């Protein structure tokens, strides 16, 4: 698999830990050869591959497509502090190179895809986490993050001993506020007496809150000092700092996007990762690539929710699965959401 435009390394211990586990494996299955057919590319969001979260989930889908479909994959990394013209250039280069589909990982690619897609009408463009820009050759891959976050709120409210839990958002955007809204609602519906501390690391147009573990660590430490004993972070690579802080304090962390209990870069802290709110970005990427290879490319809004297991709550930590009352409450909430008995808010 070919990687281009490598992101600048964040020079703190947490980032080094997160990046080292994956960056060394940058050249993978395509080096063993492919069928010479479909070429697919993903352009990463802030934080790049190695974030143990959102971008790594997208990479898993591309790697699966290489292995199972024989496609040739290319990965493109963002640069620090880049603007929309940089994304336009990146997507244009990927499309000109014959990649189809070309997938922008994250809502930040919406303006660039809207500009580039009409110039390559025979190429399918995937846009993850955004429906604001549409087109005949654009597939909008979106998720009901608020539903998975609601389940995390139920779990947090059930396990807290201090009646104080935390939420850390990477950047205060409508997407991340969906995570907050679902989490807070899940907590309050389960135990109205639990206090939820909410903090965002940065405000647009500063998106560094998705890429700086030191910010996540400091925010988590502040919430821990204020009595929180469960912290849920929706902050990309910055979330690894939150998990580190919670683990060192011997409190619970809740991961996001990927099953962070199983992420190699977070292995030192896994026992403190109670669960993770998962988004099946991997399957969304794989399914889009497969649709193009099969000659029936997806387009328009393709939504993944609890009803399709597109979002959910990971059960990898044995300590979590042994909490019978907690898992029972989570399963009931899941069933009620799917049945329409609980309507989860998408904004605080």
């Amino acid at each position: 698999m070919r990687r281009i435009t490598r992101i600048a390394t964040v020079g703190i211990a947490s980032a080094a830990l997160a990046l080292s586990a994956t960056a060394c494996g940058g050249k993978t299955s395509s080096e063993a050869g492919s069928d010479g057919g479909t070429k697919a590319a993903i352009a990463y969001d802030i934080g790049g591959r190695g974030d143990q979260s959102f971008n790594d989930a997208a990479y898993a889908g591309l790697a699966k497509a290489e292995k199972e479909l024989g496609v040739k994959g290319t990965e493109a990394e963002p640069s620090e502090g880049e603007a929309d013209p940089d994304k336009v250039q990146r997507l244009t280069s990927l499309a000109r190179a014959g990649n189809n589909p070309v997938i922008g990982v994250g809502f930040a690619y919406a303006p660039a895809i809207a500009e580039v897609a009409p110039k390559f009408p025979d190429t399918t463009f995937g846009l993850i986490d955004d429906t604001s820009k549409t087109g005949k050759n654009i597939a909008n891959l979106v998720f009901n993050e608020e539903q998975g976050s609601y389940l995390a709120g139920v779990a947090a409210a059930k396990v807290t001993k201090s009646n104080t839990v935390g939420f850390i958002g990477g950047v205060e955007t409508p997407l991340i506020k969906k995570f907050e809204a679902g989490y807070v609602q899940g907590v309050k519906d389960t135990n109205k007496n639990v206090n939820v501390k909410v903090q965002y690391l940065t405000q647009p147009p500063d998106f560094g809150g998705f890429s700086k573990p030191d910010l996540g660590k400091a925010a988590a430490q502040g919430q821990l000092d204020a009595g929180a004993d469960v912290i849920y972070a929706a902050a990309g690579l910055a979330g690894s700092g939150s998990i580190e802080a919670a683990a060192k304090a011997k409190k619970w962390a809740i991961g996001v996007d990927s099953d962070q209990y199983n992420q190699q870069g977070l292995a030192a802290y896994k026992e403190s990762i109670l669960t993770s709110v998962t988004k099946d970005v991997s399957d969304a990427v794989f399914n889009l690539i497969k649709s193009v290879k099969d000659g029936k490319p997806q387009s328009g809004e393709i939504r993944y929710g609890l009803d399709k297991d597109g979002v959910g709550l990971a059960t990898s930590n044995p300590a979590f699965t042994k909490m019978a009352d907690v898992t029972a409450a989570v399963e009931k909430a899941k069933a009620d959401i799917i049945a329409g008995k609980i309507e989860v808010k998408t904004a605080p």
Side-chain angles (χ1 to χ4, degrees):
M1 186 180 294
R2 195 163 71 98
R3 297 184 76 181
I4 57 177
T5 321
R6 186 178 299 275
I7 192 170
T9 301
V10 179
I12 70 168
S14 297
L17 173 66
L19 290 167
S20 65
T22 53
C24 295
K27 296 179 180 178
T28 56
S29 55
S30 67
E31 292 189 337
S34 71
D35 65 0
T38 303
K39 296 166 62 179
I42 54 177
Y44 289 121
D45 199 5
I46 297 165
R49 177 146 75 88
D51 66 352
Q52 312 296 318
S53 184
F54 184 51
N55 289 298
D56 282 2
Y59 166 72
L62 181 62
K64 180 181 178 183
E66 284 196 310
K67 181 179 180 180
E68 297 186 12
L69 305 178
V71 306
K72 185 175 182 180
T74 295
E75 307 165 71
E77 296 275 6
S79 56
E80 199 74 45
E82 68 180 22
D84 285 340
D86 299 298
K87 293 181 174 64
V88 168
Q89 182 179 22
R90 181 177 304 122
L91 297 177
T92 299
S93 296
L94 292 172
R96 282 179 177 165
N99 292 290
N100 187 18
V102 174
I103 303 171
V105 183
F107 61 83
Y109 278 97
I113 284 180
E115 180 175 338
V116 176
K119 300 176 183 178
F120 297 90
D122 296 327
T123 299
T124 293
F125 288 82
L127 176 56
I128 300 177
D129 281 350
D130 191 276
T131 58
S132 68
K133 306 298 182 182
T134 60
K136 292 182 178 179
N137 60 330
I138 298 175
N140 304 91
L141 311 176
V142 291
F143 303 82
N144 292 117
E145 296 92 351
E146 72 282 358
Q147 294 179 348
S149 296
Y150 184 99
L151 302 184
V154 172
K158 294 290 287 185
V159 303
T160 181
K161 295 179 179 178
S162 65
N163 272 4
T164 300
V165 302
F167 173 81
I168 296 172
V171 183
E172 192 166 2
T173 64
L175 174 67
I176 303 304
K177 291 187 83 67
K178 287 175 66 181
F179 288 87
E180 176 197 344
Y183 181 66
V184 173
Q185 185 182 347
V187 170
K188 293 297 185 179
D189 283 357
T190 305
N191 185 346
K192 64 181 181 181
N193 295 318
V194 175
N195 178 37
V196 185
K197 295 188 173 296
V198 175
Q199 183 174 347
Y200 284 87
L201 302 180
T202 61
Q203 299 288 325
D206 180 1
F207 288 90
F210 289 132
S211 63
K212 298 177 179 178
D214 58 329
L215 295 181
K217 184 177 181 179
Q221 191 58 58
Q223 293 186 345
L224 291 164
D225 291 344
D229 58 359
V230 186
I231 297 178
Y232 172 37
L237 179 59
S240 65
S242 170
I243 291 172
E244 178 184 352
K248 289 185 175 180
K250 300 189 183 303
K251 304 300 182 182
W252 288 118
I254 296 177
V256 75
D257 291 339
S258 296
D259 183 354
Q260 295 195 294
Y261 180 87
N262 287 326
Q263 291 294 313
Q264 185 178 356
L266 297 171
Y269 314 122
K270 64 187 297 183
E271 299 306 323
S272 292
I273 301 175
L274 178 69
T275 181
S276 297
V277 176
T278 57
K279 287 170 58 173
D280 203 355
V281 176
S282 173
D283 266 10
V285 168
F286 176 84
N287 291 341
L288 180 59
I289 296 172
K290 187 176 187 300
S291 75
V292 173
K293 185 174 176 64
D294 291 346
K296 299 178 181 179
Q298 294 176 331
S299 66
E301 180 179 310
I302 302 158
R303 182 167 293 278
Y304 294 85
L306 275 180
D307 57 337
K308 299 178 181 177
D309 290 325
V311 296
L313 212 58
T315 57
S316 298
N317 190 338
F320 177 65
T321 58
K322 290 177 182 177
M323 299 175 182
D325 60 328
V326 179
T327 56
V330 167
E331 286 303 312
K332 183 180 185 304
K334 177 180 178 180
D336 285 347
I337 292 171
I338 293 173
K341 295 179 181 179
I342 296 175
E343 184 176 345
V344 186
K345 299 175 182 178
T346 56

